[in-house]
Amino acid sequence: MMRRNRTGFSCYFLLFYLVIATLFCSLAGEWGRVHLAQLELQQASDTAARAAAAAIPDGIASARAEAKFWAGKNKVAGQALLLEDSDITFLKFNSATGTYLPENFAPDTVRIQSRRSADRGTAIPLLWTGLFNLAGRRNSLDVHAKTAVRYYPGFSFNQTIRATANPFLAGMAPGSVASLNNPHNSPDYTGKNGKVESGPLGTNTVAGQKYTFDNISGDARHDPNLADYQPDGQLDDIGTNTASDRITHRENGIRDGSIPINALVGIFLTDLAPNDRRVDFTTPAFVIDPAKCPADYNTYESRNRLNYQPALQQVFFIGDGRTEDGRHQTFVAPAGAKRLFLATWDFYEWNNNSGDRTVKINPTPGSMVTVE
């Protein structure tokens, strides 16, 4: 008796299971894509809420702008997240009850309710589920996220920085000299009587400490016969030395820079004098990384970063402490930092400068706590 050939039936059976397996794999992939979009939306909401909460001291308009800006920096399913005003709510949190106080209280909390939805034309598109009507005959899916962050103010203090504050005298002992080689042969001194400079003002710091600067007022001039300039200095007079020259040049162990004259500047130091023979300039904390903090501030980009991480004993540009569009700039103390000094920038002979500036220093930024 001859057996029937069933090879063709096996092929159909295998093809059927391949189709079913492909369908389920596609559905699983689509579920994963939607789940990833949900996670991305939550991350974007968290980022926007924290940025807005940190900006509450600058006012509601500034906080709302920060929320929209940082939301737009995050992508959800490949598209930047766009927040509307209605997505951003400002509230006053009551710690005792865990609820919110009436609207007439000054807000300290930002709630972000972000979404990608069909009514906005931004829902997450569905492929297989739309095809097989497994999502209620819809070919897209809404995703939502909510975050509320409360801002706790940090502490701050004011300092007055004179136009005669020579950054190359930062951390130097009384009687130290800077700006020796200048056309007028009139060097600057610290801690002496007469035509001298007492040095830049400083404050204690620790590695990783973040600083912002506010309420910078006052002017400086590097010559009694020339004009006064605001904290950003004279942007069309940044010096002729190239960035590479600045990186290699030191005075009293402090690195030079190409910086607008009359600008407000800073320097991070260890607890040693900057020219102490025990200072090891080869360690990574002393090496300038232009990607983290430039030595050359001739360009718009170099002066308008949001974050700067200077090297130890590198003079860095602060100016008014904000980008051109008004956002706070953050300056991070490098490893080994013990002191931060503020000074005024000049090319030589600080002692004939005039003017001063008052600066609000925020060494401990406000903390943020997620409450929803």
Side-chain angles (χ1 to χ4, degrees):
M1 184 176 182
M2 296 183 63
R3 297 181 179 179
R4 295 181 180 178
N5 189 342
R6 300 184 180 182
T7 303
F9 178 78
S10 299
C11 290
Y12 287 120
F13 188 76
L14 178 61
L15 180 61
F16 173 77
Y17 274 98
L18 284 174
V19 171
I20 296 298
T22 300
L23 174 62
F24 277 97
C25 287
S26 299
L27 291 174
E30 181 150 292
W31 178 88
R33 187 170 60 84
V34 172
H35 182 64
L36 176 60
Q38 180 67 59
L39 294 176
E40 291 175 336
L41 186 66
Q42 187 63 59
Q43 182 181 20
S45 180
D46 293 346
T47 301
R50 291 184 67 84
I56 283 178
D58 297 328
I60 297 301
S62 178
R64 183 177 286 111
E66 286 291 302
K68 292 181 177 181
F69 176 82
W70 287 106
K73 289 291 185 181
N74 288 265
K75 290 188 176 181
V76 179
Q79 295 181 7
L81 175 63
L82 300 178
L83 291 179
E84 297 182 1
D85 286 351
S86 59
D87 299 331
I88 309 167
T89 309
F90 295 91
L91 306 159
K92 176 68 175 179
F93 189 75
N94 186 340
S95 300
T97 63
T99 59
Y100 296 104
L101 296 173
E103 292 182 358
N104 57 325
F105 284 84
D108 63 1
T109 303
V110 180
R111 178 193 283 155
I112 303 293
Q113 293 176 290
S114 55
R115 57 194 176 114
R116 290 278 303 271
S117 58
D119 63 324
R120 293 186 179 181
T122 59
I124 306 302
L126 301 175
L127 303 175
W128 286 94
T129 48
L131 181 64
F132 288 97
N133 296 322
L134 297 180
R137 299 182 180 275
R138 296 181 58 181
N139 59 5
S140 64
L141 188 68
D142 294 353
V143 289
H144 303 262
K146 181 173 70 172
T147 308
V149 176
R150 185 184 184 190
Y151 174 80
Y152 291 86
F155 71 90
S156 60
F157 58 93
N158 294 327
Q159 281 197 349
T160 299
I161 310 301
R162 290 189 289 175
T164 51
N166 185 331
F168 298 107
L169 291 173
M172 296 295 292
S176 299
V177 183
S179 191
L180 277 170
N181 300 316
N182 68 73
H184 300 158
N185 192 29
S186 180
D188 303 314
Y189 300 87
T190 183
K192 300 181 71 175
N193 296 322
K195 191 178 181 182
V196 298
E197 168 52 36
S198 61
L201 293 175
T203 183
N204 293 333
T205 189
V206 294
Q209 176 68 65
K210 296 180 180 180
Y211 288 85
T212 59
F213 302 93
D214 277 316
N215 302 339
I216 303 176
S217 60
D219 300 312
R221 66 171 70 181
H222 66 280
D223 186 296
N225 300 313
L226 298 179
D228 289 319
Y229 284 91
Q230 294 182 348
D232 277 350
Q234 186 176 348
L235 297 180
D236 61 355
D237 193 359
I238 303 181
T240 57
N241 287 9
T242 64
S244 60
D245 291 335
R246 297 295 192 186
I247 288 174
T248 57
H249 177 257
R250 294 181 186 274
E251 186 171 357
N252 290 330
I254 294 175
R255 303 281 193 95
D256 210 335
S258 291
I259 299 170
I261 197 166
N262 297 310
L264 178 68
V265 296
I267 320 98
F268 286 108
L269 301 182
T270 67
D271 53 3
L272 299 173
N275 64 346
D276 192 291
R277 58 186 177 84
R278 291 170 291 176
V279 175
D280 183 1
F281 296 113
T282 64
T283 57
F286 286 89
V287 178
I288 292 178
D289 182 350
K292 295 180 177 179
C293 184
D296 184 350
Y297 292 90
N298 272 283
T299 66
Y300 173 91
E301 184 278 332
S302 64
R303 300 188 298 271
N304 281 273
R305 299 183 185 183
L306 286 173
N307 185 278
Y308 293 85
Q309 300 177 57
L312 283 170
Q313 301 186 189
Q314 173 190 357
V315 181
F316 58 91
F317 173 79
I318 297 174
D320 64 4
R322 293 176 180 266
T323 61
E324 191 168 289
D325 59 2
R327 286 177 289 153
H328 270 114
Q329 295 172 303
T330 301
F331 303 83
V332 184
K338 300 291 185 181
R339 297 174 291 170
L340 166 65
F341 289 84
L342 301 185
T344 302
W345 188 246
D346 198 349
F347 302 150
Y348 54 83
E349 195 180 22
W350 274 253
N351 58 68
N352 70 339
N353 294 0
S354 62
D356 55 52
R357 295 188 174 103
T358 300
V359 183
K360 181 182 177 184
I361 303 173
N362 306 308
T364 303
S367 59
M368 276 75 69
V369 176
T370 302
V371 293
E372 286 186 39

Coordinates of all heavy atoms in Angstrom, one line a residue, residues 31 50 52 55 82 86 127 153 162 167-168 174 190 257 294 312 359 362:
W31 N 3.5 47.6 21.0 CA 3.3 47.8 22.5 C 4.6 48.4 23.1 O 4.5 49.4 23.9 CB 2.9 46.6 23.2 CG 2.7 46.8 24.7 CD1 1.6 47.1 25.3 CD2 3.7 46.7 25.7 NE1 1.8 47.3 26.6 CE2 3.1 47.0 26.9 CE3 5.1 46.3 25.7 CZ2 3.8 47.0 28.1 CZ3 5.7 46.3 26.9 CH2 5.1 46.6 28.1
R50 N 11.3 70.4 36.6 CA 12.4 70.8 37.5 C 13.1 72.1 37.0 O 13.4 73.0 37.8 CB 13.5 69.7 37.5 CG 13.0 68.4 38.2 CD 14.2 67.4 38.2 NE 15.3 67.8 39.1 CZ 15.3 67.7 40.4 NH1 14.2 67.2 41.1 NH2 16.3 68.1 41.1
A52 N 11.5 74.5 35.4 CA 10.6 75.6 35.7 C 10.6 75.9 37.2 O 10.5 77.1 37.6 CB 9.2 75.2 35.2
A55 N 13.4 78.1 38.2 CA 13.2 79.5 37.7 C 12.1 80.2 38.4 O 11.9 81.4 38.0 CB 13.0 79.4 36.2
L82 N 6.0 69.7 22.8 CA 5.6 71.1 22.8 C 4.5 71.2 23.9 O 3.5 70.5 24.0 CB 4.9 71.5 21.5 CG 5.8 71.4 20.2 CD1 5.1 71.8 19.0 CD2 7.1 72.2 20.4
S86 N -1.6 75.9 29.1 CA -2.6 75.2 29.9 C -1.9 73.9 30.5 O -2.5 73.4 31.5 CB -3.8 74.8 29.1 OG -3.5 74.0 28.0
L127 N 0.0 51.0 14.1 CA 0.1 50.4 12.8 C -0.8 49.1 12.8 O -1.9 49.1 12.3 CB 1.5 50.1 12.4 CG 2.5 51.3 12.4 CD1 3.9 50.9 12.2 CD2 2.0 52.3 11.4
P153 N 14.1 77.5 48.3 CA 15.2 78.5 48.0 C 16.4 78.1 48.8 O 16.4 77.5 49.9 CB 14.6 79.8 48.6 CG 13.1 79.6 48.6 CD 12.9 78.1 48.9
R162 N 35.6 95.4 43.1 CA 36.2 96.7 42.6 C 36.8 96.5 41.2 O 37.2 95.4 40.9 CB 37.2 97.2 43.6 CG 36.7 97.8 44.9 CD 37.7 98.5 45.7 NE 38.7 97.6 46.2 CZ 39.7 98.0 46.9 NH1 40.0 99.3 47.1 NH2 40.6 97.1 47.4
P167 N 42.7 89.6 38.9 CA 42.6 88.2 39.1 C 43.9 87.5 39.4 O 43.9 86.4 40.0 CB 41.9 87.7 37.9 CG 42.2 88.8 36.8 CD 42.3 90.1 37.6
F168 N 45.0 88.0 38.9 CA 46.3 87.4 39.1 C 46.8 87.5 40.5 O 47.9 87.0 40.8 CB 47.3 87.9 38.0 CG 46.8 87.6 36.6 CD1 46.4 88.6 35.8 CD2 46.8 86.3 36.1 CE1 45.9 88.3 34.5 CE2 46.4 86.0 34.8 CZ 45.9 87.0 34.0
P174 N 50.0 88.8 51.2 CA 50.3 90.3 51.2 C 51.7 90.6 50.6 O 52.7 89.9 50.9 CB 50.2 90.7 52.6 CG 49.3 89.6 53.2 CD 49.6 88.4 52.5
T190 N 49.3 93.6 46.4 CA 48.2 93.2 47.3 C 48.7 93.3 48.7 O 49.8 92.9 49.0 CB 47.7 91.8 47.0 OG1 46.6 91.5 47.9 CG2 48.7 90.7 47.2
G257 N 43.5 84.4 29.8 CA 42.3 84.2 28.9 C 42.1 85.3 28.0 O 42.5 86.4 28.2
P294 N 35.8 77.5 27.9 CA 36.8 78.0 26.9 C 37.8 79.0 27.6 O 37.5 79.5 28.7 CB 36.0 78.8 25.9 CG 34.8 79.2 26.6 CD 34.5 78.1 27.6
L312 N 41.0 74.4 37.5 CA 41.6 75.2 38.6 C 42.5 76.2 38.1 O 43.3 76.0 37.1 CB 42.4 74.2 39.5 CG 41.5 73.3 40.5 CD1 42.4 72.3 41.1 CD2 40.8 74.2 41.5
V359 N 27.5 92.1 43.4 CA 27.2 90.8 42.8 C 26.5 89.9 43.9 O 27.0 89.8 45.0 CB 28.4 90.0 42.3 CG1 28.0 88.7 41.7 CG2 29.2 90.9 41.4
N362 N 25.1 83.0 44.4 CA 24.2 81.9 44.8 C 25.0 80.6 44.8 O 25.0 79.8 43.9 CB 23.0 81.8 43.9 CG 22.3 83.1 43.7 OD1 21.9 83.7 44.7 ND2 22.1 83.5 42.5

